[in-house]
Amino acid sequence: LEACREVSQHRRAAEEQGPNGESPEWARPKDCCGCNPQPPWIRGSDAANLGMTRVAQRDIWEHQFPPNKCEGRKLLIARWSYIAHGIGSQVHIMTAILSLAMRHNRILVPMYQTFDRAKHSECNATGSWGTFDCYFFPLVSPDCEAIALKANSSGALPPCSTPETNEEVLGSDHPVVCFHHEPFNGLMNEASVVSRWGTAYLERPNVVELQGQVQPDDPRLLKVHWWRAQALRFMLRWPSPYLCHLTNKIRHGSYGLRVAAHTMQARERSAALLRLYNHQLSSSPAAATDAATTAADAASDASAAAATASTSTSSPLRPLSLNHTDPSFLSFADPTMHVRAWPGLGISSCSGSASSPGPAPTFRAYLTNLYDQVGREVYLPRPMVSLHIRQGDKGSEMKLSSFNSFMFYMHRLRLHVPDIRFVWISTEMQSVIDQSAQFKDWTFFYSQNERQEGATRLIDYERKCGLAQLVGVSFANLLISSDCDYYVGVLGSNWNRLINEMRATNGRVFAGEVGILCYCRCCCHFIHVAIGFCCRRGIMLLVDVDRAVIHNYITDQARDVLARYI
């Protein structure tokens, strides 16, 4: 579990600017080799994330949190998409608007209280009713938000763009403009700002498998994927205290008892080894070493490691005194061991000379202290596969895959990683949870919440369950899913792509991903997205096979969009 209140306080402190508007220390390292920024929400080495992830995160954060109380900055106000869009669609559209804002050197300010999925009692209790801040850390500095709110509430409303006037309005000298993205205009593929970071999007090979084949590297798709992954990581960089507590609850409800049982077992075995060691030592020091080693061989791996460590010292053998009923029994005697052995977030490696490898001592000390404060990686049974199954009303947009289809790919993963047996399922369907019980050789974990039956519309399902339950649980599932070691999903779903993109900046860029081919048959705007990204070229494969097939599924309006690509 995570100490949400304390960790959130330290995370807020980590984003505080200096008295003269200076960026935080992690954004401007002076004594680090290479001088790469170290945003504390990025895990793993640079090689384990998309190219230039740490630099991009610093740049996006500094763009959205400018110094000098946002004076002299141009702003772009944009409301969240209406609730008729799924959560994944809403978030993806906002990443595209952020790209437009940065390209025109404007700070994106989400319109106040327009995130409909935060309009419930739980968000109201935290003072963030109707805002994305209910679930994650703020997307923009409060000074910029106050200026935008004042401009939007004044009698003279700021000029607003339409799909036809985007470039003209956004490129104008007006200090505050608003942006309309309804009706949808293919906005989700917007990633023009990526050129700011050169060709970083090409540094990551495609590791998505579709229909038994690893997908070829398509520069255009890689560019969209790179930007979405960066924008999402910034937007979802840290959960709010409310979402943190909810995620704790879901973790505990899923595997808390299992963790507690294993912890108590390790505690009792370690205590037994200590008693045996001290008893044998009182009669014969040599016998104590033999007895402890013998007992360790019969104990679990964790207990064996503890026994070996306690008997391999070069100092004289002496009795060990430890109260195993005290919770501190589970901690190391030397507190620095926590930072050295269990840093969780870790410090990325940095090239240097043999005499002075890595960051300079002062910056290393700063990072060690910062990472120790903001929280370590929360425990998860590993190796774990993330399995997101989207069914229900999604059948109106793509061909649905059965649970057995997903399990086929799950078993294929075992050909490469034979010890995989833990699965985190996120799904809105109760039938999926019921079917998982048939696979006895897998251990399934999932959130304990109400699920739907049949092809109920998602918006009706949300009304039935209530936004307070469904949206918070969905975001908690996203955080856990993106932390898993492997991933299997249908990439025709925006939520599946969210998981895929979040993993790319979570230190798991080379971990396996398996996508199941989907056939998109839906409205014009979704087809436009499908051409660009849906199913990771799944739709393109379908077009290559038979153009006539897809024309049977789409409207006349969508054919005009497809004509650009066929």
Side-chain angles (χ1 to χ4, degrees):
L1 303 179
E2 200 165 34
C4 297
R5 180 184 301 177
E6 293 79 4
V7 167
S8 296
Q9 290 174 351
H10 289 304
R11 288 169 174 169
R12 280 191 290 269
E15 294 195 1
E16 289 182 355
Q17 296 171 325
N20 298 319
E22 303 95 344
S23 297
E25 182 70 22
W26 55 262
R28 49 184 179 89
K30 302 301 183 183
D31 51 4
C32 171
C33 60
C35 294
N36 289 324
Q38 298 288 335
W41 56 84
I42 299 298
R43 300 176 182 175
S45 66
D46 290 340
N49 291 282
L50 290 177
M52 295 189 71
T53 286
R54 284 183 163 85
V55 175
Q57 291 300 303
R58 187 269 313 275
D59 293 346
I60 297 173
W61 188 92
E62 289 186 335
H63 176 86
Q64 290 294 108
F65 290 83
N68 302 324
K69 298 184 178 181
C70 210
E71 295 179 1
R73 301 286 180 151
K74 294 194 295 185
L75 309 181
L76 171 61
I77 305 175
R79 67 160 292 126
W80 287 90
S81 303
Y82 297 103
I83 200 168
H85 289 267
I87 307 175
S89 175
Q90 286 182 302
V91 176
H92 274 145
I93 289 175
M94 194 57 74
T95 66
I97 300 176
L98 177 59
S99 172
L100 285 175
M102 293 188 67
R103 179 157 62 89
H104 292 280
N105 198 27
R106 290 184 178 273
I107 297 171
L108 171 62
V109 182
M111 192 174 293
Y112 188 60
Q113 294 185 344
T114 59
F115 190 63
D116 295 332
R117 287 183 165 90
K119 295 180 177 180
H120 54 78
S121 58
E122 297 294 336
C123 291
N124 189 46
T126 63
S128 51
W129 186 86
T131 69
F132 199 64
D133 301 359
C134 177
Y135 302 106
F136 295 95
F137 269 49
L139 304 182
V140 65
S141 75
D143 297 316
C144 297
E145 190 173 39
I147 295 174
L149 182 62
K150 181 179 179 180
N152 197 45
S153 59
S154 63
L157 295 178
C160 289
S161 70
T162 64
E164 293 76 22
T165 62
N166 282 343
E167 296 299 320
E168 177 183 350
V169 174
L170 270 62
S172 68
D173 294 330
H174 289 285
V176 181
V177 300
C178 65
F179 179 77
H180 282 173
H181 51 82
E182 302 286 353
F184 192 85
N185 191 36
L187 179 66
M188 289 172 68
N189 281 334
E190 166 65 38
S192 55
V193 75
V194 173
S195 59
R196 174 179 299 192
W197 296 278
T199 58
Y201 62 93
L202 296 175
E203 297 178 12
R204 185 253 202 185
N206 201 333
V207 292
V208 175
E209 177 184 320
L210 271 175
Q211 297 289 292
Q213 295 182 342
V214 175
Q215 296 305 289
D217 294 334
D218 185 318
R220 187 171 60 89
L221 301 187
L222 291 178
K223 180 183 293 187
V224 175
H225 174 73
W226 187 93
W227 168 249
R228 285 184 175 179
Q230 301 299 343
L232 283 172
R233 177 54 58 189
F234 166 74
M235 294 171 60
L236 281 59
R237 61 192 183 279
W238 278 326
S240 67
Y242 162 66
L243 182 58
C244 177
H245 283 293
L246 183 58
T247 308
N248 273 348
K249 182 179 179 180
I250 290 177
R251 289 194 193 99
H252 182 65
S254 301
Y255 51 82
L257 290 179
R258 179 189 184 92
V259 172
H262 289 182
T263 303
M264 292 300 296
Q265 186 180 50
R267 170 185 292 190
E268 293 301 325
R269 287 180 174 177
S270 297
L273 286 172
L274 288 175
R275 288 194 295 269
L276 177 61
Y277 174 83
N278 288 332
H279 174 74
Q280 295 292 338
L281 183 61
S282 62
S283 59
S284 171
T289 302
D290 295 339
T293 303
T294 302
D297 291 340
S300 65
D301 292 341
S303 300
T308 302
S310 66
T311 59
S312 60
T313 178
S314 58
S315 59
L317 293 174
R318 58 185 178 83
L320 298 178
S321 176
L322 200 59
N323 179 13
H324 72 274
T325 62
D326 186 343
S328 63
F329 173 81
L330 300 178
S331 302
F332 292 102
D334 185 349
T336 61
M337 189 64 175
H338 284 292
V339 177
R340 297 179 179 180
W342 308 107
L345 297 178
I347 301 175
S348 64
S349 59
C350 185
S351 60
S353 63
S355 59
S356 59
T362 55
F363 190 60
R364 177 184 293 275
Y366 165 79
L367 288 178
T368 301
N369 179 60
L370 175 62
Y371 291 146
D372 191 41
Q373 289 178 340
V374 299
R376 304 177 182 88
E377 185 172 343
V378 180
Y379 172 80
L380 188 70
R382 296 191 184 278
M384 178 84 80
V385 183
S386 169
L387 180 61
H388 181 71
I389 302 180
R390 178 74 166 90
Q391 294 182 349
D393 64 342
K394 198 66 175 179
S396 62
E397 298 179 355
M398 69 181 192
K399 180 181 178 181
L400 300 181
S401 299
S402 66
F403 184 73
N404 287 338
S405 299
F406 286 90
M407 293 309 299
F408 168 78
Y409 284 96
M410 296 284 289
H411 284 287
R412 285 195 58 199
L413 282 177
R414 278 186 169 171
L415 296 177
H416 306 283
V417 190
D419 60 336
I420 289 182
R421 59 191 179 96
F422 298 129
V423 184
W424 181 266
I425 295 184
S426 55
T427 181
E428 81 281 17
M429 302 301 298
Q430 182 58 42
S431 59
V432 170
I433 302 300
D434 297 338
Q435 293 176 58
S436 67
Q438 303 173 10
F439 295 85
K440 305 298 183 182
D441 54 338
W442 295 87
T443 301
F444 294 93
F445 302 107
Y446 43 83
S447 57
Q448 306 293 332
N449 60 281
E450 182 179 355
R451 290 179 167 83
Q452 71 180 80
E453 302 282 353
T456 306
R457 289 194 310 159
L458 182 61
I459 190 171
D460 296 330
Y461 172 50
E462 287 182 340
R463 289 168 180 165
K464 177 183 177 182
C465 298
L467 292 176
Q469 173 184 326
L470 185 61
V471 180
V473 170
S474 297
F475 277 129
N477 270 285
L478 176 62
L479 295 179
I480 298 173
S481 297
S482 64
D483 201 30
C484 292
D485 302 282
Y486 301 93
Y487 163 60
V488 176
V490 177
L491 295 176
S493 159
N494 268 294
W495 197 260
N496 272 285
R497 296 199 294 277
L498 281 181
I499 298 173
N500 183 26
E501 291 148 6
M502 288 285 286
R503 287 163 47 81
T505 54
N506 198 28
R508 291 172 174 81
V509 71
F510 289 110
E513 304 164 6
V514 178
I516 300 176
L517 179 63
C518 62
Y519 297 85
C520 304
R521 50 181 193 271
C522 39
C523 60
C524 174
H525 73 261
F526 192 89
I527 285 292
H528 184 78
V529 177
I531 289 296
F533 199 73
C534 173
C535 314
R536 301 285 301 205
R537 290 179 56 85
I539 193 73
M540 296 298 286
L541 293 177
L542 178 60
V543 171
D544 291 342
V545 172
D546 188 353
R547 299 182 184 182
V549 173
I550 192 168
H551 280 280
N552 291 334
Y553 288 122
I554 61 179
T555 64
D556 293 335
Q557 186 181 14
R559 289 194 183 97
D560 296 335
V561 178
L562 283 173
R564 308 174 194 171
Y565 301 93
I566 299 180

